[in-house]
Amino acid sequence: MRIGIIGGTGDIGEGMSRRLSPHHDVVLGSREAEKAVATSTCTVDLLKERGVSCSCTGVCNQDAISGVDVIILAVPFTHLESTVKGLTGFEGKIVVTPVNPMEKRDFFVFAPPPEGSAALLLKKLLPGARVVTAFNTIAANRWKAIDEDIDVAVPVCSDDDEAKKIVIGIANGVSKIRAYDAGPLAVSAMVESLTPLLLNIARYNKMKDVGIRFV
Amino acid sequence: MRIGIIGGTGDIGEGMSRRLSPHHDVVLGSREAEKAVATSTCTVDLLKERGVSCSCTGVCNQDAISGVDVIILAVPFTHLESTVKGLTGFEGKIVVTPVNPMEKRDFFVFAPPPEGSAALLLKKLLPGARVVTAFNTIAANRWKAIDEDIDVAVPVCSDDDEAKKIVIGIANGVSKIRAYDAGPLAVSAMVESLTPLLLNIARYNKMKDVGIRFV
């Protein structure tokens, strides 16, 4: 598949490009195309060193939408609305949100928008898109550490069953990830709130990059 | 320790008595003392068959509060408020809530009270108690199936560090449970919302009694 990553030069986006580009055509987007080109070159070189061939190019965010099948919004929640409002061409596309609305006080708390979750806000902003919640709980370091397995669960929500199946397939193709159907978009809040929980678990138990498994 | 289980004749309470009574003095409470006696006898017999000695007695709910160190409220959310309002003697006691406010539509959704979580409601109802959130995500069948290990994580929240440590110790003493400090009571919603998430994961992926691990 052709997968566009909006915010592809952030830690999560860059890590995703390392894991997805051996299996898919990854188009990394950034506000500045030059930065995306630099990151994509870095991904290609890193994989080449390991004898892994891949497909990863860098473009501006808008160009990471045209011509791709799946768009991943690898942006922090605070930039989600402004980012998608500044771009066009989401209609009919699968749009994946790994976005977790949260606030940091002495600890992390889930802080959803009035719609109830980042996913439901996104559905309102992009009524023509096939919104899928996925990859919320994988820490940037785990995406980036390509010499280590990612052996965690990924709960996936969507109101579009076909889009959900496609994203579950993409997730199951990454390292040892096991993707699970977690239901419709209406329950995305329960998935997005896992991330502040895991950040607190890491902090209070002196752990790092904590993930989740269902057993 | 002496542990009182309010609602001790429900599936969760009965299962807890099987797992806790080999290590602690368990006082099972019920609205009808006779039912609690019957359940406690059943627990004692079941463990005796396996050569395990235990301490488990049955009393009315009120008597499961007096003289115990830790009280577990093994009641559904819909009965939480009426149950604690009908009882006295919680002051200064460790009160554990495994309670998850949720609604069943076509799927399960987290449905917290205005306070934000069952734990925060409980803290309002019992200002003198040392409220601890724990054991939220362990299915009744797992508690009850004493010939099988419970190999899952238990996130624990409290504003009382000593109470939290005591409950973490109790949890770590059960089968292969690993208890984690998940932060203050303010983040209990993120723990309580795990249960409707896990119920949906079970339903949509044809699994049973799904638990969680942190990795």
Side-chain angles (χ1 to χ4, degrees), chain B residues 23-40:
Chain B
H23 313 291
H24 307 279
D25 293 324
V26 170
V27 185
L28 268 191
S30 176
R31 277 174 297 180
E32 301 162 59
E34 305 79 45
K35 280 182 72 179
V37 171
T39 300
S40 69

Side-chain angles (χ1 to χ4, degrees), chain A residues 172-183:
Chain A
N172 281 331
V174 175
S175 190
K176 293 184 172 175
I177 285 177
R178 276 137 302 154
Y180 294 82
D181 182 348

Side-chain angles (χ1 to χ4, degrees), chain B residues 118-135:
Chain B
L120 290 175
L121 168 63
L122 195 62
K123 190 170 183 173
K124 197 179 81 173
L125 293 171
L126 305 175
R130 309 165 74 186
V131 177
V132 180
T133 303
F135 301 122

Side-chain angles (χ1 to χ4, degrees), chain A residues 107-108 110 142 180-181 183-184 187 190-191 193-194 196-198 200-201 204-205 207 210-215, chain B residues 107-108 110 142 180-181 183-184 187 190-191 193-194 196-198 200-201 204-205 207 210-215:
Chain A
F107 42 84
F108 291 90
F110 181 51
R142 294 233 184 169
Y180 294 82
D181 182 348
V187 299
M190 291 167 354
V191 174
S193 76
L194 287 170
L197 172 72
L198 295 176
N200 292 332
I201 294 282
Y204 291 112
N205 302 275
M207 298 165 74
V210 179
I212 205 165
R213 278 187 208 157
F214 302 124
V215 289
Chain B
F107 41 84
F108 291 90
F110 181 52
R142 294 231 183 169
Y180 295 82
D181 182 348
V187 299
M190 290 168 354
V191 174
S193 76
L194 287 171
L197 172 72
L198 295 176
N200 292 333
I201 294 282
Y204 289 112
N205 302 274
M207 298 165 73
V210 178
I212 205 163
R213 279 187 208 156
F214 301 124
V215 289

